[in-house]
Amino acid sequence: MAEGEDSGDARGPPVRLWVRRIGVYCDENQKTWLVASEEEAGTLKARIRKVRVPLGEAVRPSHLPASQLPHMWQLSEGQRYRDSNSRIWDIEHHLMITGVEELLLKLLPSD
């Protein structure tokens, strides 16, 4: 997160996000992100906020409860992520909101 920014565009989005434990993901720079799912008009979204939390022990994905959210996101073409289930997520926004970097991803319908 860029210090001193209150709103506007954030720096480039993370290249990869891996699940560490329920609701906590880690990027390629070992920064932590809190992830919450939400639904809007039947469309799954993920609100992802860069928040410093202790990493602790990583939980194996096979030991996590079932979730609509993937175990991993990988930045791919343009403003999109591909997840560990080969689904495509559009970046609806990537902003700094009162000093917190936030991504909002929207799951695109499968072809």
Side-chain angles (χ1 to χ4, degrees), residues 18-84:
W18 296 272
V19 68
R20 287 286 295 192
R21 60 183 182 270
I22 297 170
V24 178
Y25 285 66
C26 193
D27 69 17
E28 66 277 4
N29 297 311
Q30 298 299 305
K31 304 295 183 193
T32 52
W33 298 75
L34 298 181
V35 180
S37 63
E38 42 190 73
E39 255 187 71
E40 184 179 291
T43 300
L44 180 62
K45 294 186 177 191
R47 187 170 302 275
I48 306 170
R49 292 185 174 152
K50 187 175 178 184
V51 177
R52 201 177 285 182
V53 296
L55 280 178
E57 281 294 313
V59 176
R60 290 177 186 235
S62 61
H63 292 134
L64 290 169
S67 172
Q68 294 181 299
L69 297 176
H71 296 140
M72 190 264 305
W73 278 286
Q74 165 83 40
L75 192 61
S76 64
E77 68 282 346
Q79 293 290 304
R80 294 190 169 165
Y81 279 90
R82 180 176 297 275
D83 73 17
S84 50

